[in-house]
Amino acid sequence: MASIFTKIIKGEIPSYKVAENDQFYAFLDINPNAKGHTLVVPKKEENKIFDLSEEEYSALMNFSYRVAKALEKAIPCERIGMSVVGLEVPHVHVHLIPINSMADMQFMKKEELSSEEFVSLAAQISANFK
Ligand code: 5GP
């Protein structure tokens, strides 16, 4: 069965898209640790990150780098934190999180955002993606 992220990539479930190419899709996390919390997902469905080939892993990191650069420009923050977990959704994804404290990396403190705020954040990040 297709993962929830595959359904998002195919447009069967809506998302706040930040960036996309033929291999990857980046969109805002629906339950963000902080404003701008973004997930970068390979379109090819794989469960665990270290089951990717070295080439796929490198390509994922390169794409995540470009998304992180856009996040740094769009979202005022101390730095961009990066994390890979995958316990909730078994489809490889990199969390890129604009952080100001360790609490922002702990997946406990959550930000409540309106759909207008999600739309605006996604547009700001997307505008800075190169
Ligand atoms: P993990 O699998 O790394 O533990 O966490 C999965 C992440 O995906 C969580 O931060 C969760 O909020 C996010 N997530 C789960 N379902 C959806 C969804 O349908 N849409 C979006 N945008 N994010 C989701």
Side-chain angles (χ1 to χ4, degrees):
M1 200 179 81
S3 77
I4 191 153
F5 289 168
T6 293
K7 290 179 181 166
I8 285 173
I9 291 161
K10 288 183 172 171
E12 294 167 11
I13 294 174
S15 67
Y16 301 99
K17 182 169 107 172
V18 163
E20 180 176 17
N21 71 3
D22 58 332
Q23 271 184 288
F24 304 105
Y25 190 85
F27 58 104
L28 295 179
D29 194 300
I30 205 66
N31 191 21
N33 292 17
K35 282 182 184 167
H37 182 165
T38 297
L39 303 175
V40 184
V41 182
K43 291 184 176 178
K44 180 186 156 207
E45 197 172 316
E46 185 69 70
N47 179 353
K48 300 177 187 172
I49 191 162
F50 298 118
D51 286 342
L52 295 175
S53 69
E54 283 187 37
E55 290 74 19
E56 289 164 340
Y57 176 84
S58 298
L60 172 63
M61 288 301 137
N62 287 340
F63 194 81
S64 299
Y65 175 95
R66 292 169 59 203
V67 175
K69 289 287 183 190
L71 273 171
E72 269 185 330
K73 288 196 180 122
I75 312 288
C77 61
E78 183 72 27
R79 62 182 60 224
I80 305 300
M82 185 169 83
S83 176
V84 176
V85 187
L87 288 171
E88 182 186 333
V89 180
H91 180 158
V92 173
H93 51 283
V94 174
H95 293 261
L96 296 174
I97 309 168
I99 58 172
N100 293 295
S101 71
M102 273 306 285
D104 292 327
M105 289 302 293
Q106 286 170 356
F107 297 88
M108 287 155 72
K109 178 179 135 303
K110 295 292 180 178
E111 197 76 39
E112 296 246 338
L113 302 175
S114 66
S115 57
E116 290 78 15
E117 285 177 296
F118 275 115
V119 168
S120 165
L121 283 165
Q124 286 171 56
I125 300 160
S126 189
N128 283 284
F129 181 75
K130 289 187 188 126

